[in-house]
Amino acid sequence: EAQVTQNPRYLITVTGKKLTVTCSQNMNHEYMSWYRQDPGLGLRQIYYSMNVEATDKGDVPEGYKVSRKEKRNFPLILESPSPNQTSLYFCASIKLSGGTDTQYFGPGTRLTVL
Amino acid sequence: GQNIDQPTEMTATEGAIVQINCTYQTSGFNGLFWYQQHAGEAPTFLSYNVLDGLEEKGRFSSFLSRSKGYSYLLLKELQMKDSASYLCAVRGGSYIPTFGRGTSLIVHP
């Protein structure tokens, strides 16, 4: 089954404690991205990757890091989380082959930083 | 940069038809997506338009006019389960989708 998986699905942590949210896709897609979603603000892009070892900042990259060492994985790293990073996070992927492109989303990770 | 506008909220009656509009201004254009999102869940893909015209998929249709920077999502024979947020997302010259803030649709009996 084609899918994007994220872990953990729910996380409560404290300010300053480093954490990683994993994202993996099994569709051999080139493009992957991370979004955060906050009430009234919609989906905002944090980072994206066009392929292995090719990452770039989205609209709200401050406080986040990513890596793309393999095509299937795109982890999101919060080196020193702060309460303003409490949000719902989604990972997504697209195959960049043109035509009828579909962006697949992971199930989401609800993060609370105390 | 990119600017995407859609209404914040709409209400409609079960069985009716509703049209959700999306206007955009982008540098370059490589397609427009519509997604449905229920509260707390991931967005699910509804449609993708890259050429002008109407794409129909069952009860859902999506229209695009690139010259006007305009799209709409048409939902027919509304059901209670269609109550959700509907997200318009545009791929600009960089192939990266940018999302509007979403339209919350409330379907009442």
Side-chain angles (χ1 to χ4, degrees):
Chain A
E1 180 191 351
Q3 61 181 355
V4 179
T5 56
Q6 292 178 229
N7 281 293
R9 295 288 315 280
Y10 302 91
L11 179 62
I12 300 174
T13 189
V14 295
T15 300
K17 186 176 180 182
K18 180 179 178 179
L19 66 93
T20 298
V21 185
T22 63
C23 173
S24 183
Q25 49 97 1
N26 63 359
M27 296 164 281
N28 203 36
H29 286 174
E30 297 90 353
Y31 168 82
M32 297 184 75
S33 65
W34 276 102
Y35 294 90
R36 62 178 289 174
Q37 189 172 36
D38 304 287
L41 296 178
L43 278 163
R44 294 181 293 167
Q45 192 171 64
I46 303 170
Y47 269 93
Y48 64 92
S49 169
M50 301 293 276
N51 215 323
V52 175
E53 301 292 0
T55 63
D56 212 340
K57 296 177 181 178
D59 297 321
V60 288
E62 293 77 21
Y64 304 95
K65 287 173 60 176
V66 292
S67 69
R68 188 92 182 272
K69 295 188 173 68
E70 309 161 278
K71 203 170 189 179
R72 63 183 293 125
N73 295 324
F74 190 45
L76 179 70
I77 303 154
L78 285 73
E79 294 272 3
S80 183
S82 61
N84 64 11
Q85 292 178 297
T86 292
S87 187
L88 179 58
Y89 291 86
F90 290 104
C91 180
S93 72
I94 302 176
K95 186 171 181 62
L96 295 178
S97 59
T100 306
D101 291 356
T102 301
Q103 182 166 225
Y104 293 85
F105 281 86
T109 296
R110 188 167 290 281
L111 173 66
T112 301
V113 183
L114 301 174
Chain B
Q2 300 185 96
N3 189 38
I4 301 169
D5 284 315
Q6 47 182 134
T8 303
E9 186 175 293
M10 299 181 71
T11 59
T13 305
E14 193 175 15
I17 299 172
V18 71
Q19 177 174 311
I20 302 174
N21 296 325
C22 173
T23 58
Y24 64 88
Q25 294 171 308
T26 62
S27 48
F29 179 81
N30 283 293
L32 185 146
F33 297 87
W34 282 99
Y35 291 86
Q36 180 191 63
Q37 186 180 28
H38 287 98
E41 297 182 8
T44 54
F45 172 81
L46 292 177
S47 68
Y48 173 71
N49 295 66
V50 66
L51 299 176
D52 290 350
L54 186 68
E55 297 268 349
E56 297 187 76
K57 273 189 186 179
R59 293 190 300 115
F60 292 18
S61 303
S62 58
F63 172 82
L64 175 67
S65 168
R66 288 172 295 171
S67 62
K68 294 182 180 177
Y70 169 69
S71 173
Y72 67 72
L73 180 70
L74 193 71
L75 292 76
K76 303 175 187 175
E77 301 168 18
L78 280 172
Q79 302 174 9
M80 297 297 289
K81 68 177 182 179
D82 296 330
S83 292
S85 284
Y86 291 86
L87 313 179
C88 173
V90 178
R91 284 211 324 218
S94 67
Y95 279 92
I96 310 306
T98 298
F99 283 79
R101 296 189 176 189
T103 299
S104 177
L105 174 65
I106 301 167
V107 180
H108 55 83

